[in-house]
Amino acid sequence: MRSDIEQVLLTEEQIAARVRELGKEISRDYAGKDLVLVGILRGAVVFLADLYRQISIPAGMDFVAISSYGKEALSSGVVRILKDLDEVVESRHVLLVEDIVDSGLTLQYLMDNLRSRNVASLRVCTLLDKPSRRQVPVELDYVGFQVPDEFLVGYGLDYSQRYRNLPYIAVLKRDIYGGHS
Ligand code: IMP
Ligand code: MG
């Protein structure tokens, strides 16, 4: 085990198995529909890449980038679009793909924004859900795993732009990030 990792919460195999299940479910639910997965940069990239390949129906992919917490790992609650969609999503079925839902503020903002573009439907697929931290209610349609209130890294999740390339999801040692999440 690396010295900066407290504990592995989800192994590569556990994640892969769950992503396969989610892919099957989504393929069933959206059969015959014009589906586009919208990943939230950068954290959702790793999950989206794996999920996309487990979807057996035609589907597009696109990305949005929003301002992140920065180094302090704290939610400012202020969200700003840094990169908008390239595709026109009007009348299409949009599935927002997120790495982790924490306060819910990011999703609430993005969902309001996307709804105003007259999409055919809008749903959310998140790999991780940290329900204990929610500040605003958001409906999550597909959830990979519920996780405890710990600061997590790996499989796309970062601390200060590091650890995204870990193949598993782990709890970061408190002395690395300063103890607040
Ligand atoms: P929310 O707006 O508070 O729901 O923020 C969700 C975003 O915060 C996610 O897309 C992540 O980028 C980030 N985030 C929340 N919890 C963690 C964590 O435990 N580790 C790394 N990033 C996190
Ligand atoms: Mg994110």
Side-chain angles (χ1 to χ4, degrees):
M1 178 87 72
R2 301 166 48 134
S3 63
D4 44 0
I5 295 299
E6 182 74 39
Q7 182 205 341
V8 174
L9 192 69
L10 297 164
T11 65
E12 208 172 338
E13 292 73 25
Q14 285 174 306
I15 297 168
R18 188 70 186 113
V19 171
R20 270 195 299 276
E21 287 174 0
L22 289 171
K24 272 191 195 141
E25 220 180 303
I26 291 165
S27 304
R28 261 200 316 270
D29 294 353
Y30 286 92
K33 292 181 173 160
D34 183 10
L35 170 64
V36 57
L37 303 192
V38 172
I40 304 174
L41 293 173
R42 287 165 263 182
V45 164
V46 176
F47 174 43
L48 188 141
D50 284 346
L51 179 68
Y52 193 55
R53 285 174 291 176
Q54 297 301 326
I55 291 177
S56 57
I57 58 169
M61 71 151 99
D62 202 349
F63 295 93
V64 286
I66 45 117
S67 55
S68 74
Y69 296 1
K71 285 194 171 177
E72 69 277 21
L74 279 170
S75 176
S76 59
V78 178
V79 178
R80 202 160 50 90
I81 292 193
L82 302 177
K83 182 223 164 287
D84 205 345
L85 295 174
D86 292 322
E87 301 283 321
V88 174
V89 289
E90 190 181 338
S91 306
R92 302 184 72 187
H93 294 270
V94 173
L95 183 60
L96 261 178
V97 179
E98 181 57 306
D99 50 359
I100 183 166
V101 181
D102 190 67
S103 69
L105 291 164
T106 306
L107 265 187
Q108 186 188 50
Y109 174 83
L110 272 179
M111 290 188 80
D112 287 349
N113 183 290
L114 289 172
R115 258 194 218 101
S116 71
R117 302 184 201 194
N118 301 316
V119 293
S121 73
L122 180 61
R123 285 178 164 184
V124 178
C125 176
T126 185
L127 180 67
L128 307 176
D129 176 22
K130 229 189 239 182
S132 58
R133 301 254 311 166
R134 202 74 86 250
Q135 289 176 32
V136 289
V138 278
E139 197 183 319
L140 305 178
D141 302 282
Y142 305 92
V143 175
F145 305 91
Q146 286 208 348
V147 293
D149 185 9
E150 303 272 11
F151 196 78
L152 305 174
V153 293
Y155 199 72
L157 294 160
D158 75 305
Y159 173 65
S160 229
Q161 300 307 327
R162 288 185 56 207
Y163 303 102
R164 292 194 197 275
N165 58 332
L166 293 180
Y168 48 81
I169 289 167
V171 179
L172 196 60
K173 280 229 171 99
R174 275 187 182 258
D175 52 317
I176 305 285
Y177 73 94
H180 48 166
S181 71

